[in-house]
Every structure is written in C-alpha cells, then in structure tokens.
Amino acid sequence: MTKKIIVALIFLTVTAVSAQKKSDPEMVTEAAEKLRLAMINGDQVSLESLIMPELTYGHSGGHIDDAKEFVEKLVSKKSDFVTIDITNQNVQIVGNTAIVRHHFYAATADQGKAPGEVTLDILLVWAKVKNNWKLLARQAVKADKKK
C-alpha cells in the first residue's frame, strides 16, 4: 500500500512541475523584458547573461555592435536609456529560434547629455541554448511615431 502512495505522490509531483513549465513564447517574452530592464540599468552581469558571444546588434543609423561593444556602451552610459517602452510585441518560435518584433520608444541621456528620445521598430533574434533564450541578433529601423 505504501508503494502505491509513494508512486501516486511522485506522479502528482511530476505532473504539477510539468504543468508549471512555461511555454517558449512566454520564456522569450520574459527574456526580452529582462533585456529591457538590463539596458535601462546598464547591469553588465545581466546583459552578458542574456546575450550570445556572437551577438550582432544593428543600430538604426547603420552602426553594428558586437557583444562586447553592446555591453560596454550600456555599462559606461555612452548609451544611457532612462526609460524604454515596448509595444506591439510579437513572438514567433521557429524550432530553437525566436523572432521578436516590437515598437521601441525610449528616453535617453547618452553621456549625460540633455534628454533625447528615440522611436524605433526592432527585430530581435533569440536562440535557445539549453533551456535559456539568448539574444543572437538585433536590428533597429527608425519609426515615425509612438505606436
């Protein structure tokens, strides 16, 4: 009888843990939110934990950063995001790749300069590494207004 109870408890535990597992779109959405916050805070550890070493980060003006330059600019406040608002986000999963598009509106204070504003449309490419989603590529294009 006790074996049946133990087996039943194990089954219920496994079922409960499986039911709590997040879907890939949810996990990507969470990773994108963590990235947004890390970009505002300029937190090197958080930034590095969310990106792949092969990151290619395209700016709307045409400049492309690698992973090291991307992190350094945010940590040093060369690129300083005071706020970042994300709207109209869409997540599409294709195998172990996630394609995320969203509208990006930010207030900036790059290198302590007077506040600026940036309005962009963003494409992010995330890759699933083990059970984590890491940013592999980002491309921004200028957008007309806040959507």
Side-chain angles (χ1 to χ4, degrees):
M1 180 77 165
T2 56
K3 279 188 176 181
K4 287 182 181 180
I5 293 172
I6 291 171
V7 169
L9 287 173
I10 291 171
F11 175 77
L12 290 173
T13 302
V14 169
T15 303
V17 169
S18 296
Q20 292 176 0
K21 218 175 193 183
K22 294 181 180 156
S23 69
D24 283 332
E26 289 173 316
M27 291 173 65
V28 170
T29 299
E30 285 182 6
E33 175 61 10
K34 287 177 185 175
L35 178 66
R36 183 187 76 82
L37 295 173
M39 289 175 68
I40 293 168
N41 297 328
D43 178 25
Q44 184 171 353
V45 172
S46 296
L47 290 164
E48 289 175 345
S49 74
L50 292 165
I51 65 172
M52 297 187 69
E54 302 86 359
L55 175 70
T56 179
Y57 187 94
H59 294 272
S60 61
H63 182 77
I64 298 174
D65 292 341
D66 61 16
K68 183 179 177 181
E69 189 175 10
F70 164 72
V71 171
E72 183 275 324
K73 282 181 178 177
L74 292 166
V75 171
S76 71
K77 301 295 185 188
K78 184 175 180 181
S79 291
D80 186 6
F81 292 102
V82 178
T83 63
I84 298 173
D85 294 317
I86 303 291
T87 60
N88 299 335
Q89 183 161 280
N90 179 291
V91 177
Q92 180 182 7
I93 306 294
V94 181
N96 287 330
T97 304
I99 301 164
V100 178
R101 289 187 178 274
H102 60 237
H103 184 74
F104 178 102
Y105 176 79
T108 63
D110 297 350
Q111 297 178 333
K113 294 179 184 172
E117 294 181 354
V118 63
T119 303
L120 304 168
D121 286 317
I122 304 289
L123 168 67
L124 302 172
V125 179
W126 296 81
K128 193 170 190 178
V129 179
K130 296 184 182 177
N131 288 325
N132 297 308
W133 288 93
K134 305 278 186 175
L135 185 63
L136 176 61
R138 182 255 201 192
Q139 184 60 58
V141 295
K142 292 179 183 170
D144 293 330
K145 58 183 177 177
K146 190 171 182 179
K147 295 181 183 180

